[in-house]
Amino acid sequence: MTQFDARNVSMVMDLYELTMAEGYLKSGDQPRVAFDVFYRKVPDGGGFAIFAGLEQIIEYVENLHFDDSDVAYLRSLNLFSEDFLDYLRKFRFKGDIYAFAEGTIIYPQEPFMTVVASPIDAQLIETAILSQINHQSLIATKARRIIKAADGRSVFDFGARRAHNLDAAIYGARAAYIGGADGTATVLAAKAFGIPTTGTMAHSWVMYFGDEFEAFKRYALLYPDSASLLVDTYDVLHSGVPNAIKTAKEVLEPMGKRLKAVRLDSGDLAYLSKKTRAMLDAAGLQDCKIIVSNSLDEYTIASILTQGGRIDGFGVGERLITSKSDPVFGGVYKLVAVENKGIFSPRIKVSEAVEKMTNPGLKKVWRIYKGGQAVADLITNADETPDLSKPYRYIDPDRPWKELYFEGCTARQLQNLVVKDGKRVGEKPNLAQIREYVKEQLENEIWQEEQRFENPHKHYVDMSVDYYEMKMELLRSTKNK
């Protein structure tokens, strides 16, 4: 098998998904179960995360199947019965999935996705769900931090060469675009998802020709409408920028063209960008943009701009595509309810670590607004609808003794049915719509105080009184088990 073969990724799953699935099959009755997907901690100590990867999850469950080679391999392990292997050969996912819209701002401990299905169906998709969400939500969230630091300047994904593999490069570019990146240098991601593509030139081009001006000249003649020159191969200020200016004057301007940009990829980017800007302006190239790259993240970008760096765009690579500063998202998939005679009975995981205790039962999540701003999220039982026409009492689970009310507020339910009986429900949003949804929330709904890099304001995830009391009663009952 090579990476160029057509792939069935159905078996991207932990072995225990299969052993437990066989156990469920042999146990006889299979009442439906509910699993919640949530995360416990915002990466980088931030105030929020961005939900990304839903589209790939829907594609996965719609196409999940085990082909003959899969079954043959599983047989070779000498673990599984022929009855189970025959079951897998005919298997198709038949469950339901409820989820927030992709691109929704999400907070710890709230279920942004719930799977309701037979235990086998729910078990087999766990690994794929967590793999997609943990990767894409991480990169989308990191990208948004970088976008904020860039303060209106362009940001491009340059990360493919530092990604952990080819798929990570492609889906990382998708996630970065959701988070707000303006484009990607990864051509297959651009093709697959309709992301604007961008790029300049390599140091090897300049080194190949030996003479820097000759290299610039040849590149400008090849791409006169989009010439962007890399000026740090030898000496930025004494060679690179002067030769870029010479190319603009002697090659492009006689053709009626303008030099689009120069790129700095090393050195003191704040200092060099200021000097470069002065040289370009003095040569009448005020419209020539300055793009910088080289191990950038939100902190280096903020520092460069604080120092007065004259930069129009950032090419961000390794620290975006790997989320270098905090490379683990930590999304989890936990059983929260089991059906019995048509009624879902809540289940809870109890732990000495409070943050690992789960929120049991079928539930709804509501975003609470006041004056257009999202002031909190609210978890209720699945059969509850908060009446906000009057003061509404709720519980802060971190401070349950306080008497708290929402007054003058409205609510929006966040989870909606996206897969029914294994098939997509509703229209498929395009990537540009998902990206715009992220931007709209952060500009109009989410407090700027939550978007700080340092000590962000906490967005509260509260509970209805009935839901909180159900959870506490379930906790009390576990003491007798």
Side-chain angles (χ1 to χ4, degrees):
M1 178 178 178
T2 76
Q3 63 187 319
F4 297 101
D5 294 330
R7 297 191 300 173
N8 173 19
V9 298
S10 294
M11 289 216 302
V12 178
M13 61 179 64
D14 294 286
L15 181 62
Y16 86 159
E17 317 291 8
L18 290 160
T19 57
M20 287 192 295
E22 182 172 32
Y24 289 131
L25 182 65
K26 290 182 176 179
S27 71
D29 291 339
Q30 293 186 48
R32 288 188 303 165
V33 296
F35 279 80
D36 279 348
V37 183
F38 59 96
Y39 75 109
R40 296 187 174 113
K41 182 175 72 71
V42 180
D44 287 308
F48 66 91
I50 297 171
F51 174 37
L54 176 61
E55 182 55 36
Q56 282 65 52
I57 291 166
I58 295 174
E59 290 174 356
Y60 179 85
V61 300
E62 283 193 307
N63 293 282
L64 177 57
H65 69 281
F66 298 87
D67 58 33
D68 290 342
S69 66
D70 296 330
V71 173
Y73 171 74
L74 294 175
R75 180 179 291 113
S76 75
L77 299 179
N78 296 316
L79 282 173
F80 304 107
S81 68
E82 285 300 319
D83 286 345
F84 181 60
L85 295 176
D86 187 58
Y87 178 88
L88 291 182
R89 186 180 289 108
K90 302 170 185 174
F91 178 83
R92 292 295 186 274
F93 180 79
K94 295 295 184 183
D96 303 337
I97 297 178
Y98 299 81
F100 292 11
E102 188 165 12
T104 299
I105 303 305
I106 54 176
Y107 300 97
Q109 305 299 337
E110 64 182 8
F112 51 84
M113 177 181 291
T114 299
V115 175
V116 179
S118 76
I120 294 178
D121 286 43
Q123 199 69 67
L124 290 179
I125 66 175
E126 174 183 10
T127 304
I129 284 178
L130 292 180
S131 178
Q132 286 292 352
I133 286 174
N134 279 327
H135 177 233
Q136 291 201 50
S137 298
L138 178 71
I139 304 306
T141 303
K142 184 66 170 181
R144 195 67 214 181
R145 291 171 62 86
I146 292 169
I147 299 304
K148 184 173 179 62
D151 195 24
R153 296 162 181 83
S154 298
V155 172
F156 305 100
D157 156 47
F158 281 11
R161 288 169 293 173
R162 299 291 192 272
H164 290 148
N165 64 25
L166 301 183
D167 285 335
I170 294 164
Y171 291 107
R174 178 185 188 272
Y177 190 66
I178 288 173
D182 294 285
T184 181
T186 305
V187 179
L188 182 53
K191 174 188 174 185
F193 303 118
I195 304 170
T197 188
T198 186
T200 57
M201 65 192 308
H203 291 109
S204 58
W205 176 271
V206 179
M207 296 161 67
Y208 176 80
F209 290 103
D211 180 82
E212 189 172 48
F213 173 68
E214 182 67 17
F216 287 176
K217 174 183 175 181
R218 288 175 179 255
Y219 194 84
L221 289 172
L222 280 170
Y223 305 107
D225 293 316
S226 59
S228 181
L229 305 177
L230 182 58
V231 296
D232 74 325
T233 303
Y234 302 120
D235 186 313
V236 172
L237 302 180
H238 296 97
S239 174
V241 176
N243 279 322
I245 292 171
K246 184 177 180 182
T247 302
K249 296 298 181 182
E250 297 183 10
V251 180
L252 290 170
E253 289 186 10
M255 301 168 63
K257 308 293 184 181
R258 300 288 290 178
L259 179 60
K260 296 297 182 184
V262 297
R263 177 162 72 97
L264 304 169
D265 189 51
S266 60
D268 186 331
L269 298 178
Y271 170 78
L272 290 173
S273 67
K274 288 185 281 187
K275 292 293 186 181
T276 298
R277 183 76 271 159
M279 294 169 70
L280 293 171
D281 289 352
L285 297 173
Q286 293 89 348
D287 57 333
C288 179
K289 297 184 181 300
I290 298 174
I291 309 298
V292 301
S293 50
N294 186 33
S295 298
L296 299 173
D297 60 17
E298 64 268 40
Y299 299 106
T300 55
I301 288 172
S303 176
I304 289 167
L305 296 180
T306 298
Q307 296 171 60
R310 299 294 303 277
I311 293 164
D312 301 290
F314 298 91
V316 188
E318 62 190 37
R319 298 187 183 187
L320 167 59
I321 207 67
T322 66
S323 189
K324 180 178 182 293
S325 57
D326 195 352
V328 178
F329 189 70
V332 294
Y333 185 83
K334 297 297 181 183
L335 179 72
V336 295
V338 177
E339 190 178 33
N340 181 23
K341 297 180 180 179
I343 298 174
F344 279 89
S345 175
R347 298 288 191 271
I348 189 168
K349 179 182 182 296
V350 181
S351 173
E352 292 296 323
V354 175
E355 68 276 8
K356 288 197 170 185
M357 189 178 299
T358 58
N359 287 322
L362 289 181
K363 58 188 75 69
K364 292 178 182 176
V365 183
W366 307 80
R367 187 142 292 166
I368 307 299
Y369 297 90
K370 188 169 187 175
Q373 295 281 290
V375 296
D377 285 6
L378 178 71
I379 296 174
T380 70
N381 290 308
D383 59 357
E384 286 188 85
T385 298
D387 181 3
L388 298 180
S389 65
K390 55 188 177 183
Y392 178 87
R393 184 171 173 237
Y394 66 91
I395 303 293
D396 176 350
D398 294 330
R399 301 174 296 170
W401 58 87
K402 296 197 72 173
E403 189 90 354
L404 299 169
Y405 293 86
F406 292 128
E407 298 188 54
C409 295
T410 59
R412 175 168 69 98
Q413 186 178 332
L414 295 180
Q415 270 202 16
N416 291 291
L417 184 67
V418 296
V419 172
K420 177 68 175 174
D421 297 327
K423 297 299 180 183
R424 179 194 300 274
V425 173
E427 295 184 2
K428 174 181 175 180
N430 64 47
L431 200 60
Q433 290 171 325
I434 297 170
R435 182 177 184 269
E436 185 60 30
Y437 175 47
V438 172
K439 180 181 178 183
E440 189 275 332
Q441 290 171 90
L442 292 173
E443 288 182 352
N444 300 317
E445 295 183 6
I446 307 302
W447 295 100
Q448 289 301 311
E449 290 80 359
E450 289 182 19
Q451 301 182 45
R452 295 191 297 248
F453 292 159
E454 304 293 338
N455 300 313
H457 173 74
K458 179 181 178 181
H459 184 95
Y460 292 100
V461 178
D462 299 310
M463 297 177 180
S464 71
V465 173
D466 286 349
Y467 180 81
Y468 180 79
E469 289 179 350
M470 180 274 290
K471 180 177 179 179
M472 292 302 103
E473 179 59 34
L474 194 59
L475 277 173
R476 285 189 288 269
S477 72
T478 63
K479 294 180 180 180
N480 301 320
K481 294 182 179 180

